[in-house]
Amino acid sequence: VVLGDDAVELSGGITAFGVRIPLQMTLEPQVQDNGDLLLVQRDISLGSLSLPNDKVLKYIDRYYKTPEWVTINPDEESIYVAVTQMELENNFHVEVEQFDLSNDNLSFKLYIPNDTFGL
């Protein structure tokens, strides 16, 4: 995963018929009101093959393991990253506040339980 000038770029590959095919996906980040992040697919390339975006996402969803707080939505051509559902050590809680790549402005809220500080 690379944070580009205005998009999130996902690189990897898919193995089909014993051959590794390069995968490049560009996603537009959208902060949700609850502090989660929606990544809307802009474009996708799978080697030199021309395949429907939703089919590639269905394949990724079916054959690649993602954390339970990541949901791939092939029909909507998006990936939902429920950062508010991530289980972090010490019961910390994270929310995305801003994810503005073009202005290099990424901000998050981090909630730390009082007992972490002995309060």
Side-chain angles (χ1 to χ4, degrees):
V1 176
V2 174
L3 301 179
D5 292 334
D6 66 343
V8 176
E9 298 170 7
L10 176 67
S11 299
I14 292 177
T15 302
F17 307 110
V19 177
R20 184 95 170 146
I21 303 169
L23 169 73
Q24 179 73 34
M25 189 179 318
T26 305
L27 304 151
E28 178 184 331
Q30 298 176 357
V31 176
Q32 304 300 287
D33 290 337
N34 67 349
D36 287 341
L37 190 62
L38 179 66
L39 301 172
V40 179
Q41 184 177 330
R42 273 197 203 161
D43 58 62
I44 189 168
S45 64
L46 184 60
S48 60
L49 300 175
S50 177
L51 298 172
N53 293 343
D54 65 325
K55 299 296 184 203
V56 176
L57 285 174
K58 282 181 185 175
Y59 182 89
I60 293 169
D61 188 35
R62 175 180 248 172
Y63 294 107
Y64 286 84
K65 184 176 169 116
T66 59
E68 35 180 72
W69 41 271
V70 174
T71 304
I72 298 175
N73 301 306
D75 294 334
E76 298 169 16
E77 296 184 0
S78 66
I79 300 172
Y80 191 85
V81 183
V83 295
T84 58
Q85 301 301 311
M86 293 186 328
E87 292 187 19
L88 303 174
E89 290 186 34
N90 300 324
N91 293 323
F92 286 19
H93 178 79
V94 177
E95 291 180 7
V96 179
E97 193 168 67
Q98 293 182 329
F99 210 88
D100 182 359
L101 295 172
S102 59
N103 292 308
D104 291 329
N105 187 6
L106 306 178
S107 63
F108 302 84
K109 289 182 183 178
L110 180 62
Y111 297 93
I112 303 171
N114 287 339
D115 60 357
T116 302
F117 300 109
L119 301 174

